[in-house]
Amino acid sequence: EVADKGCASPPLVEGERDSRRAGERGRGAVCCAALAGEMMCVGSQACRTSHGCPATRGLAVAPLLLFAACCLTGTHAFVAPGGLLLRPGGRARAAAAGPARLGRLRASLGSTQYTGSEDGVYNEGIAKVKAGNAVLLPHLNHVKSQDFFRYYAVDLLSSCTYFPTIEFPCDMEKCDVDSAEEVPDEFRQRDHDEHDFRLDGWVRWDMPGDFTDYYDLDEVPEKYTEYQGQAVWKFIHEKICFQVGIEQATNDIELSWKKDFNRAISGLHSSISAHVLNTMGLDEEASLKEYMRRIGDVPEAVSNLHFVYMLMLVAMHEARFRLLECGYMGKGDDILPSMRAIIEDPLLEDPSVQLAAAAMRAHAQSPGARVWKARLRTRDLLGVMNCVQCNRCRLHGKVASLGLGVALQVLLGNDGSGDQKVVVGRVEKLHRVEVAALINTTAKFARAVEIVAKYEAMVEAGKGGGAA
């Protein structure tokens, strides 16, 4: 038996898992990144990019979801309010970092960036993340390629319960995914046994059973699928991001926790856009143009990507006892060297990198904070993925939304209070699927930071007289 200190695989039971649901699994979709370049969470208004819908007063858009990093083609417009919503169908050390004194930060629109008494408060951390990411990324990629982190039971058949939908046939092979043919029985059994979750907690995930299949993320990577998902994006922009109180949050620290949540959503959107760009197959000139349209010209898109990446890194650091003492079901020798290299990297303990999480905790602990609202919305992120009818997008969207939720749970606690005194006990209870999603999502942001760095270099070369 594997001595795993709480991570050991439970004993197997005889028999195969329950039979799979009959019928076709594929169901096309609204792609994760269908509107990846359109709009970002930038405060109390929706900002217009080079081709999105017009700025809308009162919308804090947060294209966080549907991050399968898949789609986008042509020009997309959101469905008009009251219009018919169509869904295409288809085939089948952390405690040492004290709360930061942030002063007043002001969300902005258009080309204006964050302004206030401490403009650029995260710039030092961003610079260090950019410099240190090349060291972390190979280790993250190695870890996430191991079996412990690859397999997820996902329901691709669930119906959308957030808004009415209409199916249309979709013959796009890029949206389809095949379930894993050989899933180790110990993973099935472990996920079956680790089915419990906190009802009022941060996360949800699909359970093994009649209506789920296992998928291997290494065999089904996220990529550009040419799919569109206006209805889902519209819901996310209007419902997932905080809208009420955002404008006051620019002056009221007790409402700043809403801004932190929106920034994380915005950063996830930037990551989606980066992954889309990386798989579109465009030449240098066209890809640079797409970069500027989707990310470069979007206010706070780059800084918010680094903001949420810093949150993920700090979450890994705070979960270090869980990550370094786990036997990974007998595969620790293959995983722990890289995991240790990540956790022990000085970047994760750097005060400027930890500032993002420290500030979020300070905001969550303010007397007027109602962080339980963020927990509700984070749980709904995975739920709304059932409205995504691109199977590849839905799969990666569910894993990414779970990973972000796990990070927020680690950083803020089950109750959202940000109390660091109980963080060790909190992370010891993370299930396999939660640990796997945390690592996969962190690796996703690391890769996005690398992609963005490449395009930033191209932009700078253009300014210096090089090819643009």
Side-chain angles (χ1 to χ4, degrees), residues 434-445:
E434 294 176 290
V435 172
L438 175 67
I439 299 303
N440 263 289
T441 306
T442 304
K444 175 185 178 69
F445 289 130

Side-chain angles (χ1 to χ4, degrees), residues 221-413:
E222 56 188 358
K223 66 179 183 180
Y224 172 70
T225 67
E226 302 179 7
Y227 215 92
Q228 304 178 29
Q230 294 96 325
V232 178
W233 279 118
K234 182 177 185 293
F235 179 88
I236 293 168
H237 300 333
E238 295 181 353
K239 302 295 184 180
I240 300 296
C241 245
F242 285 103
Q243 302 171 32
V244 178
I246 287 297
E247 195 161 347
Q248 295 92 320
T250 62
N251 299 308
D252 188 347
I253 192 172
E254 293 189 0
L255 293 174
S256 294
W257 57 274
K258 291 184 177 181
K259 290 272 292 298
D260 295 333
F261 181 84
N262 286 3
R263 292 196 74 171
I265 298 298
S266 171
L268 191 38
H269 177 215
S270 298
S271 179
I272 296 169
S273 298
H275 283 277
V276 168
L277 279 169
N278 196 52
T279 55
M280 289 183 73
L282 303 175
D283 59 35
E284 182 174 312
E285 181 178 358
S287 64
L288 182 57
K289 183 178 180 180
E290 278 296 299
Y291 168 76
M292 295 305 298
R293 182 176 69 86
R294 295 169 181 265
I295 300 175
D297 287 335
V298 179
E300 293 89 43
V302 175
S303 63
N304 288 345
L305 168 63
H306 290 84
F307 173 82
V308 72
Y309 183 36
M310 289 189 286
L311 292 183
M312 301 300 295
L313 291 177
V314 176
M316 285 192 63
H317 179 261
E318 296 200 354
R320 60 193 180 277
F321 302 108
R322 175 69 169 87
L323 299 177
L324 294 179
E325 295 182 10
C326 184
Y328 296 104
M329 301 174 72
K331 300 297 183 179
D333 290 345
D334 298 326
I335 295 170
L336 285 172
S338 283
M339 186 68 79
R340 186 170 291 108
I342 298 167
I343 299 300
E344 295 179 355
D345 192 292
L347 185 66
L348 275 66
E349 289 188 284
D350 190 286
S352 64
V353 173
Q354 293 224 350
L355 179 61
M360 185 172 65
R361 284 198 190 95
H363 298 153
Q365 292 172 344
S366 61
R370 300 290 184 269
V371 184
W372 60 267
K373 294 183 179 180
R375 293 207 311 274
L376 290 176
R377 294 173 187 234
T378 303
R379 296 201 302 264
D380 277 328
L381 289 182
L382 188 139
V384 78
M385 288 299 165
N386 288 326
C387 301
V388 178
Q389 298 306 297
C390 164
N391 284 341
R392 186 180 297 267
C393 304
R394 182 187 290 205
L395 169 62
H396 284 277
K398 289 190 173 188
V399 173
S401 58
L402 174 58
L404 179 60
V406 171
L408 294 175
Q409 174 181 306
V410 169
L411 294 173
L412 297 178

Side-chain angles (χ1 to χ4, degrees), residues 50-360:
S50 58
H51 70 294
C53 33
T56 305
R57 183 71 177 176
L59 286 184
V61 282
L64 157 159
L65 237 39
L66 303 180
F67 7 54
C70 330
C71 340
L72 183 71
T73 178
T75 299
H76 306 288
F78 291 106
V79 177
L84 181 63
L85 300 179
L86 301 181
R87 178 180 66 173
R91 294 183 57 215
R93 300 200 193 169
R101 184 178 181 85
L102 298 179
R104 181 173 64 88
L105 295 180
R106 179 172 174 272
S108 59
L109 297 173
S111 60
T112 306
Q113 300 300 308
Y114 276 93
T115 59
S117 60
E118 295 189 34
D119 188 28
V121 66
Y122 299 118
N123 284 355
E124 182 181 353
I126 290 174
K128 291 185 177 180
V129 163
K130 288 181 177 180
N133 189 53
V135 176
L136 297 177
L137 184 57
H139 292 294
L140 285 165
N141 286 336
H142 172 73
V143 170
K144 78 180 184 68
S145 70
Q146 304 303 304
D147 286 358
F148 188 91
F149 303 91
R150 289 168 53 176
Y151 295 106
Y152 298 85
V154 177
D155 182 3
L156 298 181
L157 292 168
S158 295
S159 60
C160 176
T161 60
Y162 289 88
F163 49 81
T165 57
I166 296 177
E167 294 277 9
F168 285 95
C170 171
D171 295 326
M172 300 174 67
E173 295 291 340
K174 295 180 181 180
C175 293
D176 287 339
V177 292
D178 293 324
S179 59
E181 294 183 357
E182 298 181 2
V183 181
D185 288 338
E186 55 265 31
F187 288 107
R188 298 182 188 276
Q189 185 61 43
R190 176 154 179 180
D191 293 346
H192 179 275
D193 292 345
E194 293 183 339
H195 66 272
D196 62 302
F197 60 90
R198 188 183 177 100
L199 190 61
D200 60 349
W202 290 88
V203 298
R204 293 285 191 277
W205 61 90
D206 292 343
M207 301 292 177
D210 291 342
F211 307 117
T212 57
D213 280 316
Y214 271 84
Y215 296 88
D216 181 347
L217 294 195
D218 254 21
E219 296 296 324
V220 188
E222 56 188 358
K223 66 179 183 180
Y224 172 70
T225 67
E226 302 179 7
Y227 215 92
Q228 304 178 29
Q230 294 96 325
V232 178
W233 279 118
K234 182 177 185 293
F235 179 88
I236 293 168
H237 300 333
E238 295 181 353
K239 302 295 184 180
I240 300 296
C241 245
F242 285 103
Q243 302 171 32
V244 178
I246 287 297
E247 195 161 347
Q248 295 92 320
T250 62
N251 299 308
D252 188 347
I253 192 172
E254 293 189 0
L255 293 174
S256 294
W257 57 274
K258 291 184 177 181
K259 290 272 292 298
D260 295 333
F261 181 84
N262 286 3
R263 292 196 74 171
I265 298 298
S266 171
L268 191 38
H269 177 215
S270 298
S271 179
I272 296 169
S273 298
H275 283 277
V276 168
L277 279 169
N278 196 52
T279 55
M280 289 183 73
L282 303 175
D283 59 35
E284 182 174 312
E285 181 178 358
S287 64
L288 182 57
K289 183 178 180 180
E290 278 296 299
Y291 168 76
M292 295 305 298
R293 182 176 69 86
R294 295 169 181 265
I295 300 175
D297 287 335
V298 179
E300 293 89 43
V302 175
S303 63
N304 288 345
L305 168 63
H306 290 84
F307 173 82
V308 72
Y309 183 36
M310 289 189 286
L311 292 183
M312 301 300 295
L313 291 177
V314 176
M316 285 192 63
H317 179 261
E318 296 200 354
R320 60 193 180 277
F321 302 108
R322 175 69 169 87
L323 299 177
L324 294 179
E325 295 182 10
C326 184
Y328 296 104
M329 301 174 72
K331 300 297 183 179
D333 290 345
D334 298 326
I335 295 170
L336 285 172
S338 283
M339 186 68 79
R340 186 170 291 108
I342 298 167
I343 299 300
E344 295 179 355
D345 192 292
L347 185 66
L348 275 66
E349 289 188 284
D350 190 286
S352 64
V353 173
Q354 293 224 350
L355 179 61
M360 185 172 65

